[in-house]
Amino acid sequence: MNSILGLFNYWIVIFLMMTGFYVVIAQGNLVKKLVGLGLFQASVFLLYISMGKVEGGHAPIIDAFNRVYSNPLPHVLILTAIVVGVATLAVGLALIVRIQDAYGSVEEDDIQAHDNEADSD
Amino acid sequence: MTAIAAIRQRDLFAVVMLFGIYSLLTAGLFMNLDAVDVAFTEAAVGAGTTTVLMLSTLRLTGRYQRRSSHSPLLPLLVVTVTGAALVYGTLDAPLLGDPGAPAHQHVAPRYIESGLKEVGTPNLVTAVLASYRGYDTLGETLVIFTAGLAVLLLLGVTPCVSQRPQAEPLDDQAVLKLVVKVLIPLVLLYGLYVQFHGDYGAGGGFQAGVIFATGFVLYGLVFGDGNVQRVLPPHGLRRLAACGVLLYGGVGLVSLFRGGAFLDYDQLATDPIAGQHLGIFLVELGVGLNVFAVVMLIFFAFSSRRGEP
Amino acid sequence: MNAPGPLAVLVVIMPLLAAPLCVLIGRIAVARWLALLVGWASAAMALTLLAVVEANGPLSYALGDWAPPWGIEYRLDRLGSYVLLIVTLITALVFSFAPRSVDREIPEGRQIPFYSALLLAAAGLNGIVVTGDAFNLFVFLEISSLASYALISQGYDRRALYASFRYLMMGTIGATFILIGIGFLYMMTGTLNMQDLAQRLPAVFDTRTVRAGFAFLTVGIGLKLAIFPLHLWLPNAYAFAPAVVSALLAATSTKVAVYVMLRFTYDVFGQEFAFVRMPLGSILMLLGAVGIVSASLVAVFQDNVKRMLAYSSVAQLGYMALAMGLANRTGVTAALLHLFNHALMKGALFLALGALSYRVGTLRIGSLAGLGRRMPWSSAALVIGGLSLVGVPPTAGFISKWYLILGALESGWWPLALLILAGSLLALVYVWRLVEAAYFARPLPGPTEVSEAPLTLLLPVWALVLANLYFGLNTSLTVGIAQRAAAQLTGAGP
């Protein structure tokens, strides 16, 4: 029973992760795909941070009370990963803006139809 | 649950807003899990910067999404398999909060026990980020720089001519202007505080850069980009971003030429702790400058597209 | 200063910092020369490093002077320095080719960021190869990927934009999978250092967490590697990117992904876990085999020459996957040889196409008509590169195919040997289409003022073409290095 409680947190995170992943692969709108990607990544970050939690721990900033601290390493990794995620998102959005200019649409179906047309001539 | 709402919505404006709320909630959870620095960043980036960028994109691409014609079965299958693999993976994972988990046993204790002694910053996240794993952070700075370049390559920044009619988009909002005028110095001041206080509390160059940029973006939204660009011309921002990265890398090279390892801050002063302090100060400054400049550039790039059809 | 250590860092840092320097100085001429200089300096350093590693064994460098596993370690062994040399050499050649070609394809206002992004893409790849830290690998992977997305999007056709977006989505999913995998491993071992992981993993091999971590890492790397059926992003990305970018990515980026796959399967997890406890071997062989046949078939029917070569790349990656899946020393040797040789041939081919398109523009099969006579050097380069792709002796391609067949026979998979031959026949078909168009088809009516490409473009192309021939005739160097690296990976001593 205890183990189910202890892992339950991970499972919620996994559920969120898969929601995002589903949006990425199932949705046709490019903006929504990026939102899905963001959800997916944010949930992976949660997974990492959960990993760093220590029962009864405190934020890893040393103070006078010499307490139990949570593990700082996952925090550092995720700080980096968040930045990488935003950077990717910004590039993705810039691409969407250009795609809108070039194709007049941000729906996958439209774009692929245009591309197939271009391929066949 | 916000996540679910976000995928059901076809009004993309609402999707983006819900995504922002989701980020904010995530930040709350990070806080709960003792990750204050991460929570801070997620709030500033996920809920702030990302939302602004997504909204700028929506302005250009239209608000509503079409119903997809594809069958959802294959994606559903892929997702289920992936999810199952993940759950399978957690079955043998250490429980949440278990202090005996291997993740807390091997490498991490040294950071917690000797971080203060070896690096001299009470905020251990800063110690690991800027010193123990400082090279990752250099990489991270370059990721931001790359993103700036990419946006520049894709959108370009056309300098905003200030006599354009929409340069003052909110002429009639006197109260708003007043509030913003009061708010901006505070935001900038807070940015500075976050920049230089990262050793002791949550914060550091990255968060500070974002906050600082937010101040200017806010000003730009209310008073028009032209005014901001007079102070911060895009070509100057490009150079500033480059300077930030070079400052970080330069610190590394100096320590290398002083006979130490790359990014070995001990070499920067006679006393290792003083060297660490100086090193961390400089690299955080580099990160801050770079992030600030890149966020501004990206913002200009998106907003300069608004006027065009 | 002990000489070799800092070199391992400089080989990454130089291009990494040259990128912002280009932007800071803001002059196209400077950016051009800086890229060229840095490219060749990196290659020279990589050569030195290879010599050092061959003589003294693996090289380790603690960044920030924090001993691993607390700090980040740079680590070069035979495998790493071999791949590093390939990547830096090709990069240097591509940078030499770049100035004329970029002038033609990229508007002046964007050239500086373009060079800067080229440098970052190359630096990221070097960083992946040199690092001994799993998370650092992720960071540098993202640097090079982000730079690649930006570079691909600069193609003149609008399809480049969508291709780049697709690559961004799939690449990011791949990177996130890798991140999940690293997370699981960290969860069970408490370390991120690869050597340290290799030591601590066997104790927890029997946990489901490690198995899931392995699966996520493999799928994530597979996406970057464009292994069948995760290759969907590749063809259009290569086909519509600017010439320089296609050459750089085709010759280096997927090769680095192969390296990462080798590193994790053979080194971090170990051969026993990856191939005995987990069914990676049969999966790689199956996907590799399907990839070879299907991608070669698709390539035969392409009209766009660049896309034909892109599909051929998917097929060639199939050969490498197959070779890795064999899990014996000859197989790994073949994978490493093909990694090197394929970098040579695809580098030569894509650069030759770059030279052709410098004069002709769009590259459809039809537009090659008559070029055999008008641009003899570029066309001949295309033909020799193509023969190497097919695996005709005395080209380099023959050597790797030979070892691949040996590896397949060694482990008793003789049907695979037949499959490899069939794949080569298909390659012969599509290469023949190129030859036929260039030499036998009647030239198109219309303006016929097509002359040979300028010398600055031809030199790098022919350097690679001659390398294709040289390493086909003189095999002792490459085969020797590949065999020693393979021996090290398969755990049979130094």
Side-chain angles (χ1 to χ4, degrees), chain B residues 138 142 145 149 242-243 245-246 249-250 253, chain C residues 10-27 30-39 41-42 95 112-123:
Chain B
L138 176 63
L142 275 146
F145 183 75
L149 277 182
C243 283
V245 179
L246 288 172
L253 286 179
Chain C
L10 284 175
V11 81
V12 181
I13 283 297
M14 258 189 343
L16 209 58
L17 293 183
L21 204 61
C22 287
V23 174
L24 184 68
I25 296 172
R27 303 186 81 94
V30 176
R32 204 179 273 165
W33 283 106
L34 201 62
L36 200 61
L37 188 75
V38 165
S42 308
F95 281 176
I112 294 171
F114 187 84
Y115 277 109
S116 190
L118 270 181
L119 281 165
L120 284 169

Side-chain angles (χ1 to χ4, degrees), chain C residues 117-269:
Chain C
L118 270 181
L119 281 165
L120 284 169
L125 294 176
N126 294 354
I128 296 172
V129 177
V130 184
T131 192
D133 187 281
F135 191 81
N136 194 243
L137 185 140
F138 165 78
V139 175
F140 277 83
L141 182 72
E142 284 292 344
I143 294 181
S144 83
S145 307
L146 273 178
S148 319
Y149 308 146
L151 289 169
I152 291 169
S153 72
Q154 296 305 302
Y156 70 98
D157 192 305
R158 68 176 178 182
R159 277 170 284 180
L161 292 171
Y162 186 55
S164 165
F165 186 81
R166 284 241 298 216
Y167 184 20
L168 180 130
M169 290 315 269
M170 295 189 79
T172 310
I173 292 173
T176 312
F177 270 41
I178 293 177
L179 193 63
I180 296 175
I182 295 173
F184 275 155
L185 297 190
Y186 176 71
M187 210 183 231
M188 296 316 287
T189 59
T191 184
L192 294 164
N193 183 287
M194 291 182 193
Q195 291 291 305
D196 207 23
L197 274 172
Q199 273 177 16
R200 300 175 71 90
L201 273 175
V204 284
F205 267 167
D206 274 330
T207 59
R208 286 168 279 199
T209 309
V210 169
R211 271 181 236 148
F214 178 75
F216 275 94
L217 272 172
T218 325
V219 175
I221 300 168
L223 265 164
K224 285 284 175 189
L225 211 162
I227 210 168
F228 182 89
L230 306 173
H231 68 282
L232 292 170
W233 57 266
L234 188 143
N236 275 3
Y238 285 10
F240 298 114
V244 186
V245 179
S246 306
L248 183 70
L249 294 183
T252 58
S253 120
T254 40
K255 308 298 164 295
V256 170
V258 171
Y259 160 83
V260 176
M261 185 72 110
L262 283 171
R263 175 65 74 203
F264 272 103
T265 47
Y266 282 91
D267 206 16
V268 173
F269 284 97

Side-chain angles (χ1 to χ4, degrees), chain A residues 10 17 21 24 30 33-34 37 40-41 44-45 48 51 71 73-74 77 80-81 84 87-88 91-92 95-96 98-99 102-103 108 111-112 114-115 118-119 121, chain C residues 110 135 138-139 142 146 149-150 153-154 158-162 164-166 168-169 172-173 176-184 186-187 190 192 236 240 307 364:
Chain A
Y10 291 131
M17 225 187 270
F21 190 37
V24 177
L30 302 188
K33 271 178 184 285
L34 271 188
L37 199 63
F40 181 35
Q41 291 190 313
V44 175
F45 304 160
Y48 263 77
M51 218 185 280
N71 187 346
L73 186 54
L77 304 183
T80 308
V84 171
T88 314
V91 178
L95 272 170
I96 289 182
R98 284 289 302 277
I99 288 174
Y103 290 86
E108 203 172 36
I111 298 166
Q112 271 167 353
H114 281 300
D115 274 4
D119 286 346
D121 47 57
Chain C
R110 290 190 175 154
F135 191 81
F138 165 78
V139 175
E142 284 292 344
L146 273 178
Y149 308 146
S153 72
Q154 296 305 302
R158 68 176 178 182
R159 277 170 284 180
L161 292 171
Y162 186 55
S164 165
F165 186 81
R166 284 241 298 216
L168 180 130
M169 290 315 269
T172 310
I173 292 173
T176 312
F177 270 41
I178 293 177
L179 193 63
I180 296 175
I182 295 173
F184 275 155
Y186 176 71
M187 210 183 231
L192 294 164
N236 275 3
F240 298 114
R307 189 144 56 176
R364 310 210 143 261

Side-chain angles (χ1 to χ4, degrees), chain B residues 169-184:
Chain B
L170 300 165
D171 265 337
D172 43 346
Q173 308 272 355
V175 181
L176 184 64
K177 280 189 169 179
L178 189 71
V179 172
V180 168
K181 265 189 182 151
V182 177
L183 210 58
I184 284 172

Side-chain angles (χ1 to χ4, degrees), chain A residues 3 6-7 9-11 14-19 21-23 25-27 29 31-32 35 38-39 42-43 45-46 49-55 57-62 69-73 75-80 82-84 86-87 89-91 93-98 100-101 106-107 109-110, chain B residues 3-4 6-7 9 12 15 19 22 26 29-30 32-38 41-42 45 50 53-54 57-58 60-61 65-66 69-70 72 75-76 78-79 82-83 86-87 90 93-97 99 103-104 108 112 116 122-125 128-129 133 140 143-144 147 150 154-155 200 206 302 305:
Chain A
S3 79
L7 293 176
N9 177 63
Y10 291 131
W11 295 344
I14 290 169
F15 179 73
L16 290 172
M17 225 187 270
M18 287 308 109
T19 320
F21 190 37
Y22 175 75
V23 176
I25 50 183
Q27 293 285 344
N29 183 294
V31 179
K32 210 157 180 191
V35 172
L39 282 178
S43 318
F45 304 160
L46 265 176
I49 299 295
S50 312
M51 218 185 280
K53 171 75 180 169
V54 175
E55 192 68 56
H58 292 268
I61 299 177
I62 300 226
Y69 300 104
S70 277
N71 187 346
L73 186 54
H75 300 182
V76 173
L77 304 183
I78 289 317
L79 276 176
T80 308
I82 289 180
V83 173
V84 171
V86 182
L89 204 73
V91 178
L93 287 172
L95 272 170
I96 289 182
V97 171
R98 284 289 302 277
Q100 169 77 25
D101 282 358
V106 287
E107 298 284 341
D109 297 350
D110 292 352
Chain B
I4 310 228
I7 60 164
Q9 276 286 345
L12 292 169
V15 171
F19 181 52
Y22 177 75
T26 319
L29 275 174
F30 287 151
N32 252 342
L33 293 165
D34 302 333
V36 282
D37 277 280
V38 182
T41 312
E42 178 71 33
V45 168
T50 311
L53 284 182
M54 288 209 156
T57 312
L58 285 189
L60 300 166
T61 59
Q65 170 199 10
R66 265 213 318 269
S69 54
H70 296 291
L76 213 55
V78 174
V79 168
T82 319
L86 277 167
V87 172
T90 57
L95 306 182
L96 178 70
H104 310 318
I112 297 180
L116 187 58
N123 185 349
L124 297 174
V125 173
V128 179
L129 184 87
R133 296 186 67 89
E140 172 191 339
V143 168
I144 303 168
L154 280 165
L155 299 181
Y200 305 98
F206 183 75
F302 275 91
R305 285 248 152 187

